[in-house]
Amino acid sequence: MNRPPLAAHYGLGVIFPVVVLDSSGWKQAAPWARPQRTTDRDDLLVLRWSGSDQDEDESVQLLVALARLAPDPLDDESALAAYAEQLPRSARLIALRPSALIGSWAERPGQQQPARRVA
C-alpha cells in the first residue's frame, strides 16, 4: 500500500500526519479501542502519528513505511488486530471523519516556506 501522508486535525488547531488505509465504513467505540468495520458510519481508517513532533521528517517516513505493512484486505479482523499490536507506541489506527483531512502533509497549514533572498 503506497499512499502519501496527509495532514489531519481534530478541530483544536493541532495538525498531525496520517496515512489513509481505507475509505469510509469504520467506527471507533472509544479513543483507545481499535477501529471496526461498520455500515452506519462514513469514517476513514487511518494510521495516525501520535508521537513527538521533534523528528518530524523521520516520523512521517516511519508512518509511510508502517502503512505499507498494513494487511490486505483490511476486513480480516485477526490480521488487522495483529497489525495494530505490532505498531510502535507512536503510531496507532483510528477512525477519522473525512472532513478532518486537510490535504498534503508537505503543504499543511502553518508550514514555513523557505525565505527568499531578494538581490
Side-chain angles (χ1 to χ4, degrees):
M1 181 174 301
N2 191 12
R3 302 211 179 173
L6 299 175
H9 69 98
Y10 287 128
L12 302 174
V14 176
I15 298 173
F16 51 89
V18 298
V19 175
V20 176
L21 298 180
D22 196 27
S23 59
S24 65
W26 294 87
K27 70 176 179 179
Q28 192 167 0
W32 59 86
R34 189 175 59 253
Q36 296 179 324
R37 178 71 77 182
T38 185
T39 57
D40 63 344
R41 295 284 298 263
D42 292 332
D43 291 356
L44 308 168
L45 177 66
V46 302
L47 183 61
R48 179 197 194 275
W49 180 259
S50 58
S52 168
D53 60 354
Q54 291 176 347
D55 297 321
E56 203 168 82
D57 290 336
E58 290 179 25
S59 62
V60 173
Q61 291 173 3
L62 176 61
L63 193 66
V64 170
L66 291 170
R68 288 187 184 123
L69 301 175
D72 187 29
L74 291 163
D75 290 337
D76 183 344
E77 183 69 26
S78 61
L80 190 60
Y83 173 69
E85 291 293 322
Q86 294 175 0
L87 293 174
R89 294 178 116 178
S90 55
R92 61 191 188 104
L93 292 174
I94 62 169
L96 188 67
R97 296 181 326 269
S99 61
L101 295 178
I102 300 171
S104 164
W105 178 252
E107 298 173 9
R108 67 195 174 278
Q111 178 66 13
Q112 300 263 342
Q113 296 296 326
R116 293 185 182 177
R117 299 177 103 188
V118 177

